[in-house]
Amino acid sequence: QVQLVGSGGGLVQAGGSLRLSCAASGSIFRLYAMGWYRQAPGKQRELVALTSSDGSTNYADSVKGRFTISRDNAKNTVYLQMNMLKPEDTAVYYCSALRGATNYWGQGTQVTVSS
């Protein structure tokens, strides 16, 4: 069992930055792939960025070059640094822990980017 608590969302102007954090507890964090997803109103949830247990990363094309995912296994925390934010990045952002067929979700944090 993994419990995830996300934080760091808020309101920012276009071109600004935010850093999301997700603290994990309850299992062996380093064994899990960690991802950030987002869901905008009326849209499906989409993968934004993923970091595997070996530290490799993958990004959605829409955020490449602007967002950076990182993990600190000593702190059981995954981060999403978001730079050059755009209004279309507005969404609820969810962190997720994945291992095999198991997927845990955090509670979501709102990111709103004003134009």
Side-chain angles (χ1 to χ4, degrees):
Q1 189 77 6
V2 176
Q3 295 81 44
L4 303 171
V5 179
S7 61
L11 173 63
V12 64
Q13 289 187 332
S17 298
L18 283 173
R19 188 175 82 154
L20 305 183
S21 300
C22 178
S25 62
S27 190
I28 305 175
F29 177 79
R30 62 181 173 81
L31 298 181
Y32 285 79
M34 299 298 298
W36 286 98
Y37 292 73
R38 67 186 180 188
Q39 188 166 18
K43 295 187 177 181
Q44 289 187 334
R45 191 173 297 189
E46 62 175 355
L47 177 65
V48 175
L50 184 73
T51 176
S52 298
S53 57
D54 63 2
S56 59
T57 58
N58 286 284
Y59 297 92
D61 288 343
S62 59
V63 307
K64 283 180 181 177
R66 300 188 298 121
F67 291 11
T68 302
I69 188 171
S70 61
R71 64 191 297 160
D72 186 336
N73 288 341
K75 295 182 178 180
N76 284 8
T77 301
V78 62
Y79 305 96
L80 185 68
Q81 178 66 44
M82 305 185 293
N83 298 327
M84 296 182 287
L85 282 160
K86 303 176 180 180
E88 51 263 44
D89 295 318
T90 295
V92 177
Y93 284 70
Y94 299 88
C95 64
S96 178
L98 307 95
R99 188 182 181 198
T102 302
N103 192 346
Y104 298 100
W105 294 96
Q107 85 281 13
T109 184
Q110 176 71 45
V111 171
T112 302
V113 184
S114 63
S115 57

